[in-house]
Amino acid sequence: MAAAVKRRSQAERREEAETRLIQAATKLVAERGYGGFTLAEVSDAAGYSRGLPGHYFGSKEDLLALVVQTAVENYRNAVAQLPAAEPGMPKIAALIRRYVHKRGMTTTRAFGMLISEAMVRPRLKRTITTLNASGLAALKADLQAGIEAGNIRPDVDIDLQARMIYAFLRGQMLFAGLDNQFDGQAVGEEFIATLEARLTPSRKI
């Protein structure tokens, strides 16, 4: 007798559908920008009925806010899989290298487009502002850990440096999206060298 096929629960089917719809929306916004597609086209691309995105997410802006959130979660998951680095400057350098390495990916391109769109989209702005606050808090914790580990100067303005690093990460992503000749990895290494020169304690001979 053939083994019975396990039927998926309604929650599992919904989770799969939401994932596919978010993936489809990510691809479409990366290719066409915010205004270049409709919710119906998202459902067509994902292979579902046209009313499903509205039923699950409400509005297009709500769906694209989830695209942003998913992009950040994917980055954080990738960072979590990196080899363990010494707290402080070594860890920050690893985070920067991982961030600039993602250049050209569909998710990264979509994220960059939606950051710009957030200037005039309240739902997107709220989502990105919340994610930015979380990212800045993590960077400040990494800088503080570096002070405690002795590889970052104790007089460093943690808040200012965290904002500068964050601004670099966001800015280089947008720049790379506009310039095919932009070498994100080389720029990232130069930025890391600048940070190390600025933040690490002077060594007495």
Side-chain angles (χ1 to χ4, degrees), residues 31-165:
E31 292 174 349
R32 306 182 192 177
Y34 186 98
F37 62 95
T38 64
L39 279 179
E41 289 175 299
V42 173
S43 57
D44 288 345
Y48 291 104
S49 63
R50 289 198 158 198
L52 199 61
H55 176 66
Y56 280 175
F57 306 111
S59 69
K60 179 178 177 179
E61 189 172 348
D62 288 328
L63 170 56
L64 294 182
L66 284 173
V67 168
V68 169
Q69 188 171 323
T70 301
V72 172
E73 289 173 356
N74 289 343
Y75 167 72
R76 290 175 177 171
N77 289 337
V79 165
Q81 295 173 16
L82 291 174
E86 182 184 349
M89 197 62 235
K91 182 179 178 183
I92 291 169
L95 296 178
I96 293 170
R97 289 186 177 108
R98 178 61 192 176
Y99 203 99
V100 301
H101 179 69
K102 291 169 69 65
R103 177 200 172 194
M105 294 179 64
T106 298
T107 302
T108 305
R109 180 174 172 80
F111 187 34
M113 289 188 170
L114 293 176
I115 286 177
S116 299
E117 195 70 30
M119 302 263 186
V120 294
R121 306 283 177 182
R123 176 72 174 87
L124 279 176
K125 183 176 181 179
R126 288 195 300 272
T127 297
I128 291 173
T129 298
T130 299
L131 292 170
N132 284 349
S134 175
L136 283 169
L139 275 173
K140 286 192 278 188
D142 289 334
L143 288 161
Q144 182 60 48
I147 291 173
E148 294 169 3
N151 57 50
I152 292 178
R153 296 194 343 260
D155 61 332
V156 163
D157 184 328
I158 289 176
D159 183 70
L160 179 62
Q161 293 299 326
R163 291 178 185 278
M164 185 180 75
I165 294 167

Side-chain angles (χ1 to χ4, degrees), residues 147-200:
I147 291 173
E148 294 169 3
N151 57 50
I152 292 178
R153 296 194 343 260
D155 61 332
V156 163
D157 184 328
I158 289 176
D159 183 70
L160 179 62
Q161 293 299 326
R163 291 178 185 278
M164 185 180 75
I165 294 167
Y166 213 75
F168 166 79
L169 295 176
R170 290 287 193 261
Q172 67 82 34
M173 177 181 66
L174 295 174
F175 200 100
L178 295 169
D179 182 2
N180 290 331
Q181 302 303 313
F182 183 77
D183 188 341
Q185 291 184 332
V187 172
E189 290 302 322
E190 187 65 23
F191 183 68
I192 291 168
T194 300
L195 279 180
E196 290 174 339
R198 176 74 178 87
L199 301 185
T200 54

